[in-house]
């Protein structure tokens, strides 16, 4: 019997390669884990979208349809739980400025997306990615993670007026949106998920010794009773949906089936100007740092075998907004916090966000804007719990700084970002401090460029 020489096999066609890649990227590692991971991004997504829908008449149905499509496409392209989040700086301007309406929001999104698209296709974003030191990126991630965590604690402790982004009093202990409910949900997640999966990317002798320590008794019990397979975040979110109907049973009468009407947004010359000045300019630094640079760095940490370029991420963010914003979909981007949150709750592949995207699009088509009636009754304290764990997971990524100098840069960047409420200002200060520390090493016999690029080996 003749054996076929492997070299004689016909190479796969482009369509066959593409189909294979899509199957790989959308593969379910564990259906419950991927479903659970899909909930990790809702702590930031729901409050912002709900606030803009109530305060600025954002078309919720259109936003759900488009962001759902974005989720499915990015999951298929990247093969990781790549999040799709509202652009936070633009949302903050819209909620704080009554004159910044839907036309201005969409103009800001289109212009921000256009700039990111150009930076991507020209290769400039990849150059920026290579030049920015890891310690500066870790500082931005730590600041963003702590910011999420502090917002989450505010959601848990205080009653929120989301359209005005204000606290209006202490949250009662009892009730269907009480403090005890939030604490029970938090404890449930900790019991099931613990502190999260350990990232085994370190190579020192001490770390290797720590990794071989025996598993503790509680972990053995979890494995014995298969507690690790319980989708904790999904169950917590489902509980919140049930409580929304219990809090207001007449919600059923407010639901109207059918998609909301999709129309092209008319943007005046003044709206273009205000959108650029008030929305695009403050949003761009955050998008470049957190939506592209930090996402690429974090994905290389969490998914070493699935590295992708800053160019591709910048292009996808740009295209999402250049297309969707014309039809009234909220300006969106990727985010390191969403990626960390979905990873925290079990997301390991593109199937995680594809599930979420399918649910969003289905809800947008079936229920349209009437879904806001349900979300407005959703327990905000429960959303705070989900946001808290996402923030902590993102902040933990900064623990891999090995030298005191690197940690110094991280903390300077974090402190300025939090106190000044500006990731751009924190980035500039961290970048400057890193440069000064590199200048101090010039007498070591290495060039400035070598010191800059080697980072942890020289600082």
């Amino acid at each position: 019997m003749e054996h076929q020489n492997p070299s004689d096999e016909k190479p796969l066609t482009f369509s066959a390669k593409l189909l294979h890649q899509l199957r790989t990227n959308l593969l379910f590692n564990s259906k419950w884990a991927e479903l659970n991971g899909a909930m990790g991004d809702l702590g930031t997504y729901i409050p912002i979208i709900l606030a803009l829908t109530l305060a600025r008449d954002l078309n919720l149905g259109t936003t759900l349809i488009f962001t759902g499509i974005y989720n499915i496409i990015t999951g298929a392209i990247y093969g990781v739980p790549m999040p799709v989040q509202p652009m936070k700086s633009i949302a903050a301007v819209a909620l704080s400025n009554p004159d910044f309406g839907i036309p201005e929001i969409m103009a800001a999104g289109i212009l921000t997306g256009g700039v990111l698209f150009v930076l991507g296709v020209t290769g400039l974003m990849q150059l920026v990615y290579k030049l920015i030191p890891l310690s500066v990126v870790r500082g931005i991630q730590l600041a963003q993670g702590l910011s999420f965590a502090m917002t989450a604690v505010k959601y848990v402790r205080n009653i929120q007026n989301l359209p005005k982004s204000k606290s209006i009093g202490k949250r009662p202990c009892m009730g269907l949106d009480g403090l005890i409910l939030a604490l029970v949900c938090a404890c449930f997640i900790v019991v099931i998920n613990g502190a999260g999966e350990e990232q085994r990317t370190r190579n020192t002798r001490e770390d290797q010794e720590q990794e071989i320590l025996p598993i503790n008794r509680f972990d053995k019990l979890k494995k014995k009773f298969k507690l690790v397979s319980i989708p904790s975040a999904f169950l917590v979110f489902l509980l919140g949906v049930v409580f929304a109907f219990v809090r207001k049973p007449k919600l059923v009468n407010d639901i109207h089936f059918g998609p909301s009407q999709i129309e092209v947004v008319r943007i005046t010359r003044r709206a273009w100007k205000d959108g650029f000045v008030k929305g695009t300019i403050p949003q761009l630094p955050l998008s470049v740092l957190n939506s592209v640079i930090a996402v690429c760095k974090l994905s290389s940490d969490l998914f070493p075998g699935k590295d992708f370029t800053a160019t591709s991420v910048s292009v996808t963010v740009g295209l999402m907004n250049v297309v969707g914003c014309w039809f009234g979909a909220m300006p969106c981007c990727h985010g390191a916090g969403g990626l960390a949150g979905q990873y925290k709750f079990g997301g390991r592949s593109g199937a995680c966000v594809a599930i979420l995207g399918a649910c969003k699009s289905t809800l947008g088509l079936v229920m349209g804007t009437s879904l806001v009636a349900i979300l407005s009754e959703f327990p905000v304290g429960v959303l705070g719990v989900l946001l808290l764990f996402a923030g902590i997971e993102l902040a933990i990524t900064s623990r891999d700084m090995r030298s005191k100098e690197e940690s110094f840069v991280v903390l300077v960047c974090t402190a300025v970002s939090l106190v000044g409420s500006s990731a751009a200002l924190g980035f500039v200060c961290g970048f400057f401090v890193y440069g000064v520390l590199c200048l101090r090493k010039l007498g070591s016999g290495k060039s400035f460029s070598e010191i800059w690029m080697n980072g942890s080996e020289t600082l």
Side-chain angles (χ1 to χ4, degrees):
M1 185 175 180
E2 294 184 1
H3 294 278
Q4 187 176 1
N5 191 334
S7 61
D8 295 335
E9 294 181 1
K10 293 182 180 180
L12 294 175
T13 63
F14 173 77
S15 58
K17 288 181 179 179
L18 180 61
L19 183 60
H20 174 72
Q21 188 65 40
L22 289 176
R23 287 177 176 175
T24 302
N25 289 345
L26 296 177
L27 180 67
F28 282 86
N29 295 319
S30 169
K31 61 180 181 180
W32 285 117
E34 302 293 354
L35 180 62
N36 198 47
M39 304 296 107
D41 192 29
L42 297 182
T44 53
Y45 183 87
I46 291 179
I48 295 175
I49 295 297
L50 178 60
L52 287 171
T53 302
L54 295 174
R56 292 292 174 266
D57 200 24
L58 178 74
N59 192 322
L60 178 61
T62 300
T63 296
L64 286 173
I65 292 171
F66 274 92
T67 55
I69 294 172
Y70 301 157
N71 277 131
I72 295 171
I73 293 176
T74 53
I77 292 174
Y78 297 115
V80 302
M82 181 69 74
V84 174
Q85 300 177 322
M87 288 189 173
K88 299 174 183 64
S89 182
I90 293 177
V93 173
L95 291 172
S96 61
N97 188 344
D99 298 325
F100 202 84
I102 293 299
E104 288 78 13
I105 293 172
M106 300 309 152
I110 293 169
L111 293 171
T112 303
V115 172
L116 291 174
F117 180 78
V118 171
L119 289 175
V121 296
T122 57
L124 291 175
M125 188 64 78
Q126 187 65 23
L127 178 63
V128 172
Y129 175 75
K130 291 181 179 179
L131 291 178
I132 295 180
L134 179 61
S135 55
V136 175
V137 176
R138 291 292 188 248
I140 296 297
Q141 291 174 325
L142 179 58
Q144 186 71 68
L146 292 177
S147 177
F148 281 175
M150 290 187 292
T151 300
V153 173
K154 182 177 69 174
Y155 283 178
V156 171
R157 292 187 60 189
N158 303 317
I159 301 172
Q160 300 299 311
N161 184 337
L162 292 178
K164 294 184 178 180
S165 300
K166 291 182 179 179
S167 300
I168 55 176
K170 294 293 183 181
R171 187 174 300 283
C173 290
M174 306 302 292
L176 298 179
D177 191 13
L179 185 61
I180 292 179
L181 172 65
L183 293 177
V184 169
C185 290
C187 290
F188 174 70
I189 292 175
V190 172
V191 169
I192 300 302
N193 295 93
E197 181 178 311
E198 183 70 21
Q199 298 171 28
R200 302 178 184 274
T201 58
R202 297 168 293 175
N203 297 312
T204 64
R205 183 180 181 85
E206 292 83 357
D207 292 332
Q208 290 174 353
E209 290 175 355
Q210 290 176 3
E211 286 179 352
I212 62 175
L213 289 175
I215 191 170
N216 61 52
R217 182 176 298 177
F218 184 71
D219 285 337
K220 290 180 179 179
L221 289 175
K222 284 204 305 179
K223 187 175 182 180
K224 179 179 178 181
F225 293 103
K226 298 183 179 180
L227 290 178
V228 291
S229 63
I230 296 177
S232 56
F234 175 72
L235 292 178
V236 167
F237 180 76
L238 191 62
L239 179 67
V241 173
V242 172
F243 278 11
F245 282 96
V246 174
R247 293 176 70 189
K248 189 177 179 181
K250 293 183 179 180
L251 276 178
V252 178
N253 300 327
D254 297 331
I255 298 175
H256 305 286
F257 294 100
S260 52
Q261 189 173 0
I262 299 178
E263 298 178 343
V264 176
V265 178
R266 295 181 180 179
I267 305 176
T268 63
R269 182 177 297 180
R270 181 176 180 81
W272 283 112
K273 178 184 176 182
D274 289 345
F276 179 75
V277 174
K278 299 178 181 179
T280 298
I281 291 177
Q283 178 63 49
L284 265 177
L286 184 62
S287 291
V288 171
L289 294 172
N290 190 54
S291 302
V292 180
I293 306 299
V295 164
C296 291
K297 294 283 189 184
L298 182 61
S299 66
S300 65
D301 295 335
L302 302 180
F303 308 97
K306 292 190 175 181
D307 293 342
F308 37 82
T309 66
T311 295
S312 65
V313 176
S314 185
V315 168
T316 56
V317 174
L319 288 176
M320 285 192 304
N321 294 285
V322 169
V323 175
C325 290
W326 282 107
F327 301 97
M330 176 63 197
C332 291
C333 59
H334 304 311
L339 179 59
Q342 288 167 336
Y343 183 88
K344 163 71 178 179
F345 291 116
R348 295 296 183 272
S349 73
C352 169
V353 287
I355 295 171
L356 181 61
C359 293
K360 285 181 182 177
S361 296
T362 301
L363 289 172
L365 290 170
V366 174
M367 301 179 66
T369 305
S370 66
L371 187 64
V372 71
I374 300 174
L375 295 181
S376 61
E377 295 297 326
F378 193 96
V380 177
V382 173
L383 288 178
V385 171
L386 296 177
L387 181 59
L388 175 64
F389 287 102
I392 291 174
E393 186 70 19
L394 178 58
I396 284 177
T397 59
S398 63
R399 64 186 177 143
D400 62 349
M401 296 290 96
R402 298 187 175 280
S403 67
K404 186 174 182 179
E405 287 83 357
E406 283 186 311
S407 298
F408 180 72
V409 173
V410 169
L411 294 177
V412 167
C413 190
T414 301
V416 175
S417 296
L418 289 177
V419 175
S421 299
S422 171
L425 183 60
F427 166 77
V428 170
C429 292
F431 204 76
F432 175 77
V433 170
Y434 184 87
V436 172
L437 292 176
C438 287
L439 286 174
R440 295 181 71 248
K441 299 291 183 177
L442 280 178
S444 62
K446 295 183 179 180
S447 66
F448 182 79
S449 60
E450 289 178 317
I451 296 173
W452 184 279
M453 298 305 294
N454 288 336
S456 60
E457 297 178 8
T458 55
L459 284 186

